[in-house]
């Protein structure tokens, strides 16, 4: 028997980008099986899954000398998604299916023992890479087809089992590529929310702080007793953020695709993500990483909101690893042989009780904590982390009269209009600057350029800094927030009123907090 060599193509995902993998299958006389090219255990185990799947679907597993190389050989191949391209390569090399069009397609999918296909992670970045490299199409499990079909100029075929794939490659199938009108679906679904600010009675000061945070992309922390409405307000923040642009939606969907968080009915994410991890989360789960690096919660919240409820209950080390991504808006995970970068441009929304018992500063209930206990509780959050949170706002319980009121309240859509107008001003202001889209992303140089204060405002902030003991970073945060308040007002200059409101949003910087 002459040697038979066939090439199929798969893909490996690193970070949020894919790399094409060439799978070379060579069959010759003999009985040994070699799988080379740095496969992990899940890839090595594919031989048993492929053997069972082929036999259960009427194919023969060739017990010959078989060498399979996965190139480039210096990149580690991980996971079970290579089952399908390996199986198709074996069938083509043993002349059980035609090899005429097999190299026109990227093929990915995990096999069950009965030959059915199971979903994979990272279908969207793989599809994007396949189009870039000029492949005609992408064959993958049906559950991932809508996600991959977002990419235009690429035929995406969702298959249910190995028999369907074999028939397709033999030219015996009438399978049609999945068709998704991305723009139409995006326009139809964008801006639909389950929660609305019209549901929230009272808390006008907190709603105002939320509006400012949304308008400038600022981080915000809410301090208040249990049951005052902190979580309810945080969950409604995405409803007043500006709608996704198509580019943002694609970028966010890529991250969720890599993490395997895309629903099979979803083609493109249309609402900004809202991530709310429990306080027992580890630092790796929060920022990303692991033996085979995966995006963490801060990357899953990219272009959306990361909500940390009961902030002091999080482990100190977990909160400290967030400091650098909050500034750089990207997280770099380094390993001995490679480095992976995940975007992490998110709005941080945190909430906390003012003390261990939760009732410090409560209008009706008495706090049972002494000043030392309150200070110890506050010290669980480091000063550098608090400095990176632009807006601090106190949440007080809503009186019964307001809770039982019947008047209609301002909806999220109305607030979102004002936020979107303010963001449009900022987009215009930073149009020539790459990576700067809102006031919260301004560097010190940009603050000096766009947050110019007159003499009266200079004196006001000087007095506030001396009285409260603000850091240099807190000074910058006040200027950024006052610039956002001025944008919401449609004002070109920062006035005394704007600055005064921004200063009051630094309540945790007060020297006497908790005493």
């Amino acid at each position: 028997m002459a040697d038979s060599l066939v090439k199929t193509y798969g893909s490996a995902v690193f970070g949020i980008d894919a790399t094409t993998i060439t799978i070379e299958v060579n069959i010759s006389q003999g009985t040994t099986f070699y799988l080379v090219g740095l496969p992990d255990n899940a890839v090595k185990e594919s031989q048993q899954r492929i053997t069972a799947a082929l036999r259960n679907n009427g194919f023969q597993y060739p017990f010959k000398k078989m060498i399979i190389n996965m190139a480039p050989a210096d990149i580690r191949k991980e996971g079970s998604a290579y089952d399908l391209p390996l199986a198709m390569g074996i069938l083509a090399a043993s002349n059980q299916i035609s090899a005429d069009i097999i190299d026109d397609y990227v093929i990915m999918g995990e096999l069950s023992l009965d030959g059915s296909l199971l979903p994979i992670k990272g279908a969207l970045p793989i599809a994007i890479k396949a189009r870039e490299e000029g492949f005609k199409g992408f064959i993958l499990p049906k559950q991932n087809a809508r996600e991959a079909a977002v990419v235009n100029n690429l035929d995406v075929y969702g298959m249910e089992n190995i028999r369907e794939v074999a028939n397709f490659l033999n030219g015996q199938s009438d399978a049609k590529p999945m068709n998704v009108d991305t723009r139409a679906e995006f326009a139809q679904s964008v801006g639909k929310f389950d929660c609305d600010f019209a549901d929230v009675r009272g808390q006008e000061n907190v709603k105002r702080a939320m509006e400012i945070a949304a308008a400038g992309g600022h981080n915000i922390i809410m301090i208040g007793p249990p049951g005052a409405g902190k979580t309810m307000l945080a969950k409604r923040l995405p409803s007043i953020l500006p709608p996704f642009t198509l580019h943002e939606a694609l970028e966010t969907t890529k991250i969720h695709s890599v993490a395997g968080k895309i629903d099979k009915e979803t083609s493109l994410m249309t609402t900004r993500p809202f991530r709310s991890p429990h306080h027992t989360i580890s630092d790796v789960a929060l920022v990303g990483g692991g033996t085979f690096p995966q995006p963490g919660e801060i990357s899953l919240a990219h272009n959306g909101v990361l909500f940390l409820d009961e902030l002091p209950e999080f482990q100190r080390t977990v909160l400290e690893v967030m400091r650098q991504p909050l500034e750089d808006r990207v997280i770099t995970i380094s390993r001995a042989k490679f480095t992976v970068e995940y975007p992490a441009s998110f709005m941080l929304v945190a909430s906390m009780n003012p003390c261990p018992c939760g009732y410090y500063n409560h209008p009706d209930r008495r706090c049972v904590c002494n000043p030392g206990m309150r200070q110890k509780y506050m010290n669980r959050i480091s000063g550098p982390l608090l400095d990176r949170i632009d807006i601090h706002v106190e949440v007080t319980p809503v009186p019964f009269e307001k809770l039982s009121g019947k008047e209609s309240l301002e909806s999220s859509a109305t607030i979102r209009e004002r936020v979107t107008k303010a963001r449009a001003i900022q987009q215009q202001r930073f149009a020539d600057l790459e990576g700067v889209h809102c006031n919260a992303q301004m560097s010190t140089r940009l603050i000096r350029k766009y947050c110019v204060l007159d003499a009266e405002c200079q004196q006001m902030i000087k007095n506030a800094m001396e009285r409260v003991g603000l850091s240099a970073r807190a000074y910058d945060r006040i200027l950024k927030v006052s610039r956002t308040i001025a944008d919401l007002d449609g004002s070109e200059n920062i006035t005394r009123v704007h600055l005064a409101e921004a200063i009051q949003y630094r309540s945790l910087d007060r020297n006497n907090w908790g005493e």
Side-chain angles (χ1 to χ4, degrees):
M1 173 186 169
D3 285 13
S4 176
L5 174 65
V6 168
K7 293 184 181 182
T8 62
Y9 296 92
S11 203
V13 178
F14 295 96
I16 58 169
D17 297 310
T19 302
T20 299
I21 302 296
T22 305
I23 297 167
E24 302 169 313
V25 182
N26 189 82
I27 295 179
S28 58
Q29 287 287 5
T31 57
T32 49
F33 176 86
Y34 299 101
L35 178 58
V36 297
L38 218 59
D40 74 350
N41 283 336
V43 181
K44 288 174 184 173
E45 289 168 357
S46 64
Q47 184 186 7
Q48 281 70 37
R49 290 192 294 272
I50 291 168
T51 304
L54 293 183
R55 284 181 171 175
N56 288 329
N57 284 272
F59 297 106
Q60 296 296 316
Y61 184 84
F63 287 99
K64 306 277 187 184
K65 181 179 180 182
M66 197 183 309
I67 301 171
I68 301 177
N69 178 43
M70 305 177 81
D74 60 340
I75 294 177
R76 189 167 179 80
K77 321 302 182 304
E78 300 160 2
S80 51
Y82 295 103
D83 290 359
L84 188 59
L86 288 168
M88 289 301 110
I90 290 168
L91 288 178
S94 58
N95 297 316
Q96 295 181 67
I97 64 168
S98 167
D100 293 345
I101 61 169
I102 201 166
D103 55 0
D104 291 338
Y105 296 88
V106 169
I107 305 171
M108 291 296 279
E110 179 184 339
L111 283 174
S112 281
L113 298 187
D114 64 358
S116 57
L117 301 185
L118 301 175
I120 61 171
K121 292 180 180 180
L124 181 56
I126 292 171
I128 291 169
K129 187 67 175 179
R131 183 186 64 183
E132 276 178 17
E133 299 210 342
F135 285 94
K136 183 181 178 183
F138 182 15
I139 299 170
L140 77 170
K142 197 168 188 175
Q143 299 96 314
N144 300 110
R146 288 186 64 78
E147 177 189 337
V150 166
V151 180
N152 54 13
N153 301 324
L154 182 76
D155 293 339
V156 174
Y157 293 92
M159 302 292 187
E160 290 188 350
N161 55 59
I162 194 170
R163 173 59 70 182
E164 279 187 24
V165 182
N167 289 343
F168 176 80
L169 294 174
N170 279 332
Q172 300 167 347
S173 167
D174 57 356
K176 298 286 190 292
M178 174 68 74
N179 186 32
V180 174
D181 190 340
T182 310
R183 291 183 184 278
E185 284 202 8
F186 181 71
Q188 184 181 357
S189 305
V190 78
K192 289 186 178 178
F193 300 96
D194 297 329
C195 303
D196 198 286
F197 267 95
D199 307 330
V200 183
R201 302 207 163 269
Q203 308 293 17
E204 275 73 19
N205 66 317
V206 191
K207 287 182 188 175
R208 169 67 177 170
M210 287 272 189
E211 183 180 335
I212 294 165
H218 302 290
N219 303 321
I220 181 171
I221 184 168
M222 295 175 283
I223 315 101
K230 302 185 293 293
T231 305
M232 183 173 72
L233 285 155
K235 284 181 177 176
R236 281 155 177 75
L237 182 59
S239 70
I240 63 170
L241 288 170
F244 257 154
T245 63
L246 201 55
H247 172 74
E248 285 177 327
L250 192 63
E251 190 178 38
T252 309
T253 307
K254 272 176 79 175
I255 298 168
H256 285 249
S257 172
V258 169
K261 306 281 186 189
I262 299 289
D263 187 84
K264 65 179 181 181
E265 299 301 322
T266 305
S267 57
L268 195 65
M269 292 178 67
T270 53
T271 54
R272 293 185 182 274
F274 179 86
R275 305 294 300 181
S276 179
H278 192 258
H279 62 256
T280 53
I281 192 171
S282 69
D283 47 2
V284 170
L286 187 70
V287 299
T291 311
F292 310 126
Q294 287 287 298
E297 289 291 337
I298 62 170
S299 295
L300 293 171
H302 180 63
N303 290 324
V305 174
L306 178 70
F307 176 47
L308 301 184
D309 200 3
E310 304 298 344
L311 190 66
E313 302 302 330
F314 284 79
Q315 293 178 41
R316 180 88 176 224
T317 53
V318 172
L319 296 179
E320 295 308 297
V321 293
M322 255 194 338
R323 279 160 51 177
Q324 179 260 337
L326 277 170
E327 290 287 325
D328 298 345
R329 300 185 179 271
V330 69
I331 180 74
T332 305
I333 298 163
S334 298
R335 294 290 178 268
K337 292 186 178 178
F338 61 90
T339 299
V340 173
E341 216 174 61
Y342 291 114
S345 180
F346 60 92
M347 270 182 68
L348 174 64
V349 180
S351 74
M352 60 177 287
N353 294 333
C355 64
C357 80
Y359 294 105
Y360 177 64
N361 271 351
H362 195 283
D364 303 318
R365 298 188 62 166
R366 182 171 161 270
C367 173
V368 296
C369 308
N370 62 45
M373 288 169 67
R374 290 195 285 266
Q375 203 57 54
K376 188 178 178 183
Y377 186 73
M378 286 301 304
N379 286 344
R380 292 187 191 178
I381 307 165
S382 69
L385 181 64
L386 270 182
D387 270 354
R388 286 169 168 81
I389 299 176
D390 307 355
I391 298 174
H392 310 162
V393 61
E394 292 182 57
V395 184
T396 52
V398 181
F400 176 77
E401 295 73 30
K402 285 196 174 182
L403 277 177
S404 57
K406 296 287 190 287
E407 74 279 6
S408 58
L409 300 172
E410 195 172 41
S411 70
S412 290
T414 309
I415 302 171
R416 189 165 65 245
E417 278 181 30
R418 295 198 295 267
V419 168
T420 306
K421 279 182 186 173
R423 283 284 184 109
I425 293 169
Q426 293 162 49
Q427 290 280 7
Q428 197 173 350
R429 178 181 298 139
F430 306 125
D432 299 332
L433 298 167
E434 191 177 342
V436 182
H437 307 290
C438 57
N439 289 334
Q441 297 171 343
M442 282 194 289
S443 63
T444 305
R445 183 177 58 82
L446 293 175
I447 291 170
R448 301 289 172 264
K449 182 176 179 181
Y450 294 114
C451 303
V452 180
L453 302 179
D454 59 26
E456 189 180 17
C457 290
Q458 286 278 16
Q459 188 59 44
M460 176 189 274
I461 198 166
K462 179 174 180 286
N463 293 342
M465 287 193 72
E466 288 172 354
R467 190 172 69 249
V468 181
L470 299 176
S471 69
R473 187 181 276 116
Y475 169 74
D476 283 352
R477 303 280 165 185
I478 288 171
L479 291 181
K480 288 181 185 181
V481 173
S482 57
R483 179 65 267 170
T484 300
I485 297 168
D487 290 342
L488 280 166
D489 262 4
S491 169
E492 193 173 325
N493 299 316
I494 297 170
T495 67
R496 187 182 172 87
V497 176
H498 304 140
L499 191 62
E501 187 176 359
I503 290 169
Q504 78 170 11
Y505 292 130
R506 299 300 302 182
S507 58
L508 289 183
D509 290 330
R510 292 205 304 259
N511 291 330
N512 63 343
W513 175 268
E515 293 178 5

